[in-house]
């Protein structure tokens, strides 16, 4: 399993991915799911992947090969075109592998987050579905997730506001979101990689990786639990009423 | 969809359920999922249900019928026996309906939470699987959930401790857990029903229902978001490092 999240705010982008790969319970590995394609001052594109590692590797191999040849993501005129390049690679891998997978009852189920900026445009954040079609984040829906997304969704949904949240705060929300997810699902695990992208920087020069014993992550974890319990204690008490026999619930 | 949670602490039990039923997107109804079986001073048993309403109704109809006849849940000598009565009813309904459902590609996928106390025993909390076998909550695993459980899990997992959490706090955690779930999944909805059971009371006399516009629920929702954002601001800043070209992530 995997968990990746992209957050888009008025200041830029915050991207985060876990690094656990598992094929069954006894084949657990570490593998990075964050890939960057950068021509400084001109374009900075990050791709985050979820789904079968065998399939996402084929996509990123194709993307890297064409990038080095000055094609694909290197040649896309707009960010939307770049996202379409990725969708097209996903479709090529589907053409290669999908029929064989389905013969054995396996799904072609990879998703990608694509985020960054091409000079002359605003920073952008997209999700690409397994079929290759893209979905863009908006001011109203300023974050996108792939993989095991449910545990880590409420904290971001409550906290992140496109027009108000700083990238520094977005990084904290993302880390709390991973903390919640890793606690509930052992197939999402460290290191957590994080990229902070400021609008118009056109390179990825703010990066952080959190290992399992990262002191800052552990300290944020314990401070957060403490604050959260304190905040619950501060909430008003919930009064209960006696249920008389005739008004028992669902009688 | 449904969301129900049961929490067991040193003081007793806290149970909560939503009330939304849907068959597709255009057939949405309100229906209670919390059922109680009480002989004051002798036994108090609550059953919370998830899964196809048609199937859970058949189970609760059987349970109610036998209870009125002084059998089934009314006659179970121990709480474990009571839970087994419910599992047995689920198996009877499976015998009635499962084959016909599977012929049309539908699953027999109902779950139940069973909580309460029989005189002479401690309060207990169980989940019953669709196959009828039961799982008990423990001091190390002091809560059980059925239905759409992921969104609402982190807040309870972080906060609830068997030996320390009061039932009044457990009620707040449960309400926050529903708040997170309802925000992310429209098939979980109000009214939220809540039962607070104090050890050895042997009746259900503390009940609360929260409608969609319940002023206390709305006030807790907004106070919580405020506290949470404040707590995030108080966390230490996450420092990022420049990634030099040769050390870019996942190059």
């Amino acid at each position: 399993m995997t968990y990746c999240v992209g957050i888009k705010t008025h200041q830029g982008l915050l991207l985060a991915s876990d690094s656990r790969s598992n094929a069954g319970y006894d084949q657990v590995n570490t593998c990075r799911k964050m890939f960057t394609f950068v021509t400084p001052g001109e374009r900075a594109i990050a791709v985050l992947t979820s789904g079968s590692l065998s399939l996402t590797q084929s996509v990123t191999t194709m993307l890297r090969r064409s990038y080095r040849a000055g094609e694909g993501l290197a040649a896309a005129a707009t960010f939307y075109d770049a996202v379409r390049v990725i969708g097209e690679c996903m479709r090529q891998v589907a053409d290669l592998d999908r029929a064989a997978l389905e013969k054995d009852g396996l799904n072609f189920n990879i998703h990608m987050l694509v985020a960054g900026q091409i000079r002359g445009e605003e920073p952008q954040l997209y999700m690409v579905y397994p079929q290759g079609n893209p979905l863009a984040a908006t001011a109203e829906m300023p974050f996108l997730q792939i993989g095991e997304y449910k545990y880590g969704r409420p904290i971001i949904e409550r906290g992140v506001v496109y027009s108000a949240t700083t990238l520094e705060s977005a990084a904290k929300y993302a880390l709390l979101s991973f903390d919640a997810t890793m606690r509930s699902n052992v197939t999402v695990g460290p290191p957590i990689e994080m990229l902070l992208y400021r609008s118009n920087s056109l390179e990825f020069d703010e990066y952080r990786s959190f290992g399992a014993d990262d002191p800052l992550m552990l300290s944020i974890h314990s401070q957060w639990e403490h604050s959260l319990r304190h905040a619950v204690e501060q909430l008003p008490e919930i009064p209960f009423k006696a249920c008389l026999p005739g008004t028992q619930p669902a009688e």
Side-chain angles (χ1 to χ4, degrees), chain A residues 12-241:
Chain A
L13 301 160
L14 190 288
L15 310 171
S17 57
D18 87 310
S19 303
R20 188 153 292 171
S21 162
N22 71 303
Y25 295 114
D26 51 1
Q27 202 177 336
V28 177
N29 288 300
T30 297
C31 111
R32 301 166 84 178
K33 300 162 190 173
M34 185 185 277
F35 304 87
T36 58
F37 301 84
V38 181
T39 307
E42 206 265 314
R43 66 186 60 213
I45 302 170
V47 180
L48 283 64
T49 66
S50 76
S52 165
L53 185 57
S54 148
L55 302 171
T56 59
Q57 275 182 350
S58 289
V59 174
T60 53
T61 298
M62 284 182 186
L63 291 172
R64 185 68 65 201
R65 195 155 59 181
S66 60
Y67 196 82
R68 288 189 176 135
E71 298 162 2
L73 293 181
T78 67
F79 205 86
Y80 179 80
D81 292 332
V83 174
R84 281 291 183 184
V85 165
I86 292 166
E88 191 49 45
C89 285
M90 288 167 67
R91 288 173 183 168
Q92 286 178 37
V93 176
D95 288 344
L96 281 170
D97 291 325
R98 184 172 179 148
L101 291 168
E102 291 182 346
K103 208 176 277 179
D104 280 336
L106 300 167
N107 288 328
F108 184 85
N109 192 24
I110 63 176
H111 290 76
M112 306 225 165
L113 293 180
V114 191
Q117 188 174 14
I118 291 180
R119 194 174 55 208
E121 296 186 325
E122 292 297 302
Q124 289 176 55
L125 168 62
Y126 281 88
M127 176 170 73
V128 187
Y129 287 101
Q131 295 74 25
N133 50 319
L135 173 77
T138 62
E140 296 74 33
M141 183 177 66
F143 69 99
L144 293 170
Q145 304 167 291
I146 56 176
E148 177 62 275
Y149 65 92
K150 291 188 180 184
Y151 299 112
R153 188 177 182 90
I155 180 69
I156 297 182
E157 199 156 37
R158 285 190 200 270
V160 171
V161 177
Y162 175 85
S163 59
T165 305
T166 64
L167 291 175
E168 288 74 14
S169 289
K172 297 181 195 177
Y173 283 111
L175 192 63
L176 294 172
S177 176
F178 274 84
D179 188 65
T181 307
M182 290 192 291
R183 184 154 178 172
S184 292
N185 189 322
V186 294
T187 71
V188 175
I192 307 305
E193 293 194 289
M194 219 179 256
L195 267 184
L196 186 152
Y197 178 79
R198 290 183 205 281
S199 296
N200 304 320
S201 62
L202 292 166
E203 59 185 328
F204 290 122
D205 56 1
E206 294 184 68
Y207 171 78
R208 180 77 153 83
S209 173
F210 298 88
D213 301 323
D214 186 281
L216 179 60
M217 187 165 73
L218 296 178
S219 135
I220 285 179
H221 173 92
S222 63
Q223 185 175 331
W224 180 249
E225 292 210 345
H226 181 267
S227 302
L228 197 125
R229 286 186 186 156
H230 180 72
V232 169
E233 296 312 318
Q234 300 305 308
L235 292 175
E237 293 294 310
I238 298 172
F240 288 82
K241 297 165 191 167

